Amino acid sequence: MTPLFRKAVWLLFAVSVCAFAGSLAAQYVLGMEPCVLCISQRLCVLATALCAAIVLMCRPRRRAGGLFGTVFISIPAVTGAAVAAYQLWLQSLPPGTAPSCGAPWTFRLKGWPLFDWFEPVVRGFGNCAEPDYLLGIALPVWSVAYFLLVVLAVWAVWLKAK
């Protein structure tokens, strides 16, 4: 792994941890109620951070290892971008016509082992069709921007490290 690629992955890890902490702060400090899709995006941010941490711990030496790390980090980021884009589509529908976004995660995972440990991360009962705003921009737009930034940055750095 080149020093540039390693620094970029460290930066992506730090930004992902900050984004995850920001989502928890929005819920528990600002009082925003996340919906099922918001929580899915939160979990994709967490998965992106964990994938970046794994890539940093594995320290791939060859170009193929860097490619694996790039793909590994990109998978949760692309998934999160797709979830955020779907939520944007839901929010663009006329009021009352948006389909339900499903059962809350706390209901789906209630019987799982260690549920009490991860329940604060998946708690939320918001409506997916009602947008919340940060600086006048809907939160799913921020999510799409974050996920696209992650994908573009990791691929650009990998390509530059040739």
Side-chain angles (χ1 to χ4, degrees):
M1 177 176 351
T2 66
L4 175 65
F5 185 76
R6 187 163 178 74
K7 287 177 186 176
V9 174
W10 268 110
L11 181 63
L12 291 176
F13 174 76
V15 169
S16 298
V17 168
C18 289
F20 181 74
S23 74
L24 291 176
Q27 179 176 0
Y28 293 107
V29 176
L30 300 178
M32 294 179 172
E33 191 65 37
C35 66
V36 172
L37 296 177
C38 297
I39 292 170
S40 298
Q41 293 166 57
R42 177 186 293 174
L43 294 175
C44 286
V45 169
L46 181 61
T48 302
L50 291 175
C51 288
I54 290 169
V55 168
L56 288 168
M57 286 188 281
C58 290
R59 301 180 64 111
R61 304 256 188 253
R62 297 196 173 119
R63 182 135 171 86
L67 175 61
F68 174 77
T70 300
V71 171
F72 192 59
I73 292 169
S74 296
I75 290 171
V78 169
T79 304
V83 171
Y86 176 68
Q87 186 174 8
L88 281 171
W89 174 76
L90 280 179
Q91 291 177 354
S92 72
L93 297 175
T97 62
S100 170
C101 47
W105 282 101
T106 49
F107 175 76
R108 295 178 191 181
L109 303 175
K110 188 72 172 167
W112 283 37
L114 305 176
F115 176 75
D116 293 336
W117 288 16
F118 64 83
E119 190 266 337
V121 174
V122 297
R123 182 186 311 144
F125 301 97
N127 182 352
C128 295
E130 292 178 11
D132 282 323
Y133 296 94
L134 179 66
L135 301 176
I137 300 172
L139 289 178
V141 174
W142 287 108
S143 291
V144 168
Y146 158 78
F147 289 122
L148 289 180
L149 175 81
V150 167
V151 171
L152 292 175
V154 74
W155 281 97
V157 170
W158 179 77
L159 289 171
K160 185 172 174 73
K162 279 187 175 183

